[in-house]
Amino acid sequence: MSDTRIFKINGDSARELKGSSIALEKSLQNYMEKNLETLLGIKFLASEYSTGKTHGGRIDTLGIDENNSPVIIEYKRTLNENVINQGLFYLDWLLDHKAEFKLKVMEILGTETANEIEWGIPRLICIAGDFTKYDVHAIQQINRNIELLRYLKFEDDLLLLDLVSATNVQNTGNSLRNEKNIEIKAKQNSIKKWSSKSVSEYIEQSDSEIQNRYEELKSFIEALGDDVQFKALKNYIAFKRLRNFACVEVHPQTRNILVFVKINPDQIILEPGFTRDVRNIGHFGTGDLEITIRSDDDLKKAEDLIRQSYDNN
């Protein structure tokens, strides 16, 4: 399915670089694992992780992404290897062994991250030199978050990662899980139960003007490219390609929509009340630049910054 061509320009001449997608060697897996956060926005947890004697398998790469969702990465080393089914097997194993995964996260990244795991949207990433049309069709029939990522090596120092296809299943159980956790903690501490609303609930409770503005923002972001993925989490909406490029919060009481983008605040002129450097300010989602949208004019101004973040990620 590959039709990518890359040329090296030297003055008025152009030379095509020949991409290689031979059987994926172990060295590429090692390279990916050492650079997971840079390449895919995923924190590395383990390599060749054993699923025990009963299941008798090994997960190629285990990680957790920038939205705190568990990630399984499987590498397709031969053309006839059914890496999707293999990955689904491990994904089911993971959901049946949440405590084991949480302990691994706690060991590597600490208790705080372990307590924030988003179990509603675990991901399976399959990496191969190429995929068939049958692979692409197959994942569309499966109600899981699956991404097919094609790689090509050019010469000795260039690596292309191309998102061939992705299925986007929204979080269906996380809000209920959080609500139950809140209730348990309240009972344990003998205090009055309080509720924490999700960003989806905040959107539903907003007036029509805010809802329409959010829908216009969402439509603009999704139109940036076919590779834009939409993830509704507890506290924010994440828009991502291989990595997050925009995280959106909606606040009906203040009538603000906040967008966090991955732009270095030092590289733009900050506008008080519109853009803010949040590198040293705690916030949900990812991104060092906060954009506050209060009007349609703000939304129009924000589009260029959001597009820059998309292009950079």
Side-chain angles (χ1 to χ4, degrees), residues 231-278:
K231 302 290 182 183
L233 292 104
K234 171 67 176 177
N235 297 302
Y236 60 93
I237 305 292
F239 294 91
K240 63 186 287 291
R241 301 176 78 186
L242 295 181
R243 303 184 302 172
N244 288 356
F245 66 89
C247 293
V248 177
E249 298 176 21
V250 177
H251 299 275
Q253 290 185 333
T254 59
R255 309 192 83 253
N256 292 341
I257 297 175
L258 301 182
V259 185
F260 297 90
V261 294
K262 290 182 176 177
I263 292 178
N264 186 345
D266 294 334
Q267 295 180 349
I268 68 167
I269 298 175
L270 296 176
E271 184 179 334
F274 177 62
T275 49
R276 182 169 68 141
D277 181 352
V278 291

Side-chain angles (χ1 to χ4, degrees), residues 202-244:
Y202 280 131
I203 293 172
E204 290 174 2
Q205 293 172 7
S206 298
D207 61 38
S208 59
E209 183 180 352
I210 300 300
Q211 288 184 2
N212 290 340
R213 190 168 295 138
Y214 165 74
E215 289 299 328
E216 186 175 348
L217 171 66
K218 180 173 179 286
S219 296
F220 166 77
I221 294 176
E222 291 182 324
L224 288 171
D226 293 336
D227 57 349
V228 174
Q229 299 179 65
F230 167 92
K231 302 290 182 183
L233 292 104
K234 171 67 176 177
N235 297 302
Y236 60 93
I237 305 292
F239 294 91
K240 63 186 287 291
R241 301 176 78 186
L242 295 181
R243 303 184 302 172
N244 288 356

